[in-house]
Amino acid sequence: MTRQLGVRDIRAFRPALVLEVVHRLEIQRRRVMGAADAALRARAAGREWRGRAATSASQAQSGAVALLGDVSARMGVTASVLRGLAARMEACLELVHRAERIARDRGAWTDADGLVQVPHRFPTGDPTMDAHVGRLDALMVNEVGRCLGEAVRVAAETDVEVQRRLRGAVADPVAPAVPDELGVVPPPPEGGVGRPDGAFANAAWWRSLTVSERRRAITQHPDWVGPRDGIPAWDRHQANLILLARLRGPAREALRRAGSIPQRTAIPTWERAKSIEAIDALLAKRDGVTRQLLLIDVSGLVVRAITTVGDIDRAGHVATYVGGFSTRPERDLRDYDDRFVGMRRLALTQTREEGDDGDVAIAIWLGYPAPQGRDGGFSSRSVLRDDTARAWADDLASFTNGIDASRDAPAHQALWAHSYGSVVTGFALQQVMRMDDVALFGSPGTSLGSVAQAGLKPGALNVLAAPTDPVPMTDWHGLDPREIPGVAALGATAALKPGATNVVLRESFLHGDYLDEGTTSEYNLAAIAAGRSDQRLPAQGDRPLAPIPPPAP
C-alpha cells in the first residue's frame, strides 16, 4: 500500500521534470521507429535473395520489426500517460496556489501541510460587523479546505490511474492503445448533496479538469455537471440541456396519457410534463435576453428548477429569487421570467447611473419543493411548518456559494425572498455563506433574531411589508423581521421616484404584488440587486436609511 499523498507532495511535484522525461522518451521512441523503418527497408532490398538462409533472415527481420513496433507502442503509451500526469498535477498545483491566494486575501495563510492559519481579529465595537468578519473568515477556511482537499483527492486518483496504466504498458501481452488523455476523475461525493461547502469542492474539481475532460464530462456524464453548484453556469446549462432532452420524450408520453385535465392520481405526472414544456418555452424565447438552465429535477413530488435572466457567469450583480408557498415551474416560471426581464432592466438603469457598467443577472431559484396547497395543514410539508425550509436551506446556501466559487472574482450578490421563501432564506443565512444584500418581503416570520446571526454587514438586511398584506402580520414562523434591530424597513407604499418630479411609484396591496411593474417595492428590489443602497426608499414614517458600509477587510 502506497503512502497517502498530501499537500506537501503536491507542492514538491515538478510537472516540468515529467515533461522533460516525456520529451526524452519521444526522442528515443523516434529512434526505435527509425530502426524499424531501416529493418523494413533492408528487408525490401533483399527480395532477390533466395534460399533457406534468406527465409531465416527474413523471419528474423520480421520478428525484429514486430518487436521494435511493440516497444515503440509501449513507449508511446508511457509518454501519453506521463503527459497526462504532468497536466493533472499542474492543475492540482494551481488549486494549491488558488487556496493560498484565497487565504492571503483575508490576511491568513496555509502551512506546509495545508492547515489554514487565521490571524487574530480585534473587535470593532460593532457586534454585527464582528459577526460579519467572522462569517467571512469561516467561509474562507471552508473554501481553502475544500480546494486543498480536492487537490489531494485528484492527485491520489491520478496516482492510482497512472500506476495502473504504466504497469499495463509494461506487462500487458499486447501493447495497449495509446490513450488520448487520462480518464475523467469523478466529482467529489460531498459536492452532490445539499451542503453549503460542497460547492467549493465542485468548483475545485472542475478546475482540475482539462477543457477536453470537461467536454467529456458534460456529454458523457451530464448528471455529474448539471445539478452541481460551483460549476460555471454555461457548463451546467449545456449538461442540463442533455438531461432535459432525456426527460422530454417520456414527459410527452405521460402528458398524452394524463390528458388536459388529469385525474388526481396523475397530477404529479402531469406537472412534470408541463414543467418541462414551460422550461422549453422559456429557453426558446428570442428576445435578446440570455437564459441559462441550472437545474432540472423531476424526481420528487414537486419539480425543482433553476433558470436565469441574464448571464450568471459574467454579471457583476447577481440576484437570486426564492419563491414561496405553492410555487411550481409549470405554473410560475414564465410569469417570473417576464417580471424579472423588466426588473433586470430597471436594475441595469440604476447601475449605469452610478457609472457601473457591470451586467445584472437574476436566478429564479425554484430549487426546493415549495409547500403546496394539496399538502394540507398537518403534514411535514405543510406551509404552516418549517420542516421544508430547514431541509432545503443548505441547498440555497450551496447555490449562492457556488456562484462565487465558479468565478475568479466574486459578484455582488443579493437575495430576494418572498413569503415562505423568506423562511428558507432565514435558515440558509445561518449557514456558512456570503451574501451582500438580502430582501425579505411578505414574510410570515423568520428564525433570525439579529443581523449578526445572518452574518451580514450592517444595513444589509432589508424588509418589505405592504400595509394591506396580512401574511407579515402573522409571525407564524418566528419573529417579524421588521422587529430585528438594525434592519432596513423599505417602502411598499406609493412614493415619488428618486430623481423624478412627477413620477409616482405605486403601492403594493396584495401578498403577490411586490414584483408588480411600477411599484415602490419593485424599485427597492431592483436597487438592492444593483447594489444601490442609496436608492432604497424607506417605509412610510421610517427614518432615512443609513448608508451601508463597505465590505469588511
Side-chain angles (χ1 to χ4, degrees), residues 258-308:
S260 58
I261 306 178
Q263 299 294 322
R264 185 173 182 82
T265 55
I267 284 178
T269 300
W270 184 84
E271 287 178 355
R272 292 185 193 109
K274 283 296 185 180
S275 293
I276 292 170
E277 280 190 359
I279 292 170
D280 279 336
L282 206 67
L283 298 179
K285 281 179 139 181
R286 295 295 178 265
D287 55 358
V289 176
T290 298
R291 290 177 176 84
Q292 296 159 324
L293 177 61
L294 303 186
L295 177 69
I296 174 64
D297 178 11
V298 301
S299 62
L301 293 174
V302 179
V303 174
R304 299 191 302 126
I306 305 173
T307 61
T308 74

Side-chain angles (χ1 to χ4, degrees), residues 200-513:
F200 301 133
N202 290 334
W205 166 67
W206 197 246
R207 285 188 171 92
S208 76
L209 305 180
T210 65
V211 173
S212 174
E213 288 171 339
R214 292 174 187 175
R215 282 198 297 266
R216 278 192 283 157
I218 290 171
T219 56
Q220 298 174 16
H221 304 283
D223 53 308
W224 284 5
V225 181
R228 285 185 179 264
D229 300 321
I231 294 176
W234 277 117
D235 294 325
R236 292 181 68 174
H237 176 73
Q238 294 300 321
N240 282 320
L241 289 182
I242 296 173
L243 296 176
L244 185 66
R246 293 178 181 177
L247 295 170
R248 193 174 290 118
R252 287 174 178 169
E253 176 60 21
L255 189 61
R256 185 189 66 78
R257 292 180 179 179
S260 58
I261 306 178
Q263 299 294 322
R264 185 173 182 82
T265 55
I267 284 178
T269 300
W270 184 84
E271 287 178 355
R272 292 185 193 109
K274 283 296 185 180
S275 293
I276 292 170
E277 280 190 359
I279 292 170
D280 279 336
L282 206 67
L283 298 179
K285 281 179 139 181
R286 295 295 178 265
D287 55 358
V289 176
T290 298
R291 290 177 176 84
Q292 296 159 324
L293 177 61
L294 303 186
L295 177 69
I296 174 64
D297 178 11
V298 301
S299 62
L301 293 174
V302 179
V303 174
R304 299 191 302 126
I306 305 173
T307 61
T308 74
V309 176
D311 185 349
I312 294 289
D313 287 337
R314 63 181 293 270
H317 303 271
V318 178
T320 299
Y321 172 77
V322 186
F325 173 60
S326 78
T327 50
R328 298 194 304 268
E330 104 280 348
R331 190 182 68 180
D332 301 303
L333 199 53
R334 189 177 188 93
D335 178 57
Y336 286 145
D337 184 87
D338 290 341
R339 291 173 183 266
F340 293 153
V341 166
M343 292 182 72
R344 174 175 176 262
R345 191 181 305 116
L346 180 57
L348 280 169
T349 300
Q350 295 180 356
T351 61
R352 298 299 182 266
E353 290 173 352
E354 184 72 4
D356 179 356
D357 60 357
D359 198 3
V360 175
I362 300 170
I364 307 171
W365 194 81
L366 304 184
Y368 80 110
Q372 304 294 311
R374 61 176 177 260
D375 294 325
F378 301 101
S379 75
S380 62
R381 282 191 37 78
S382 169
V383 71
L384 301 179
R385 298 181 57 165
D386 62 13
D387 299 50
T388 299
R390 289 178 182 274
W392 293 91
D394 283 357
D395 287 71
L396 176 57
S398 174
F399 176 75
T400 58
N401 281 344
I403 291 174
D404 280 351
S406 67
R407 305 161 60 114
D408 291 327
H412 164 262
Q413 284 205 63
L415 268 176
W416 295 340
H418 178 234
S419 191
Y420 192 84
S422 70
V423 184
V424 181
T425 298
F427 287 115
L429 288 171
Q430 297 173 59
Q431 310 305 314
V432 179
M433 64 177 289
R434 183 193 72 83
M435 190 54 54
D436 295 293
D437 295 289
V438 176
L440 310 179
F441 50 105
S443 174
T446 178
S447 57
L448 294 171
S450 66
V451 178
Q453 191 178 358
L456 299 170
K457 59 184 180 290
L461 182 58
N462 304 273
V463 181
L464 297 87
T468 50
D469 179 4
V471 174
M473 305 175 190
T474 64
D475 297 350
W476 188 269
H477 286 289
L479 183 67
D480 182 339
R482 290 173 292 182
E483 298 177 8
I484 297 175
V487 301
L490 303 189
T493 56
L496 190 66
K497 184 177 180 180
T501 57
N502 59 351
V503 179
V504 176
L505 300 170
R506 294 185 293 105
E507 180 175 353
S508 302
F509 289 99
L510 303 177
H511 186 59
D513 290 351

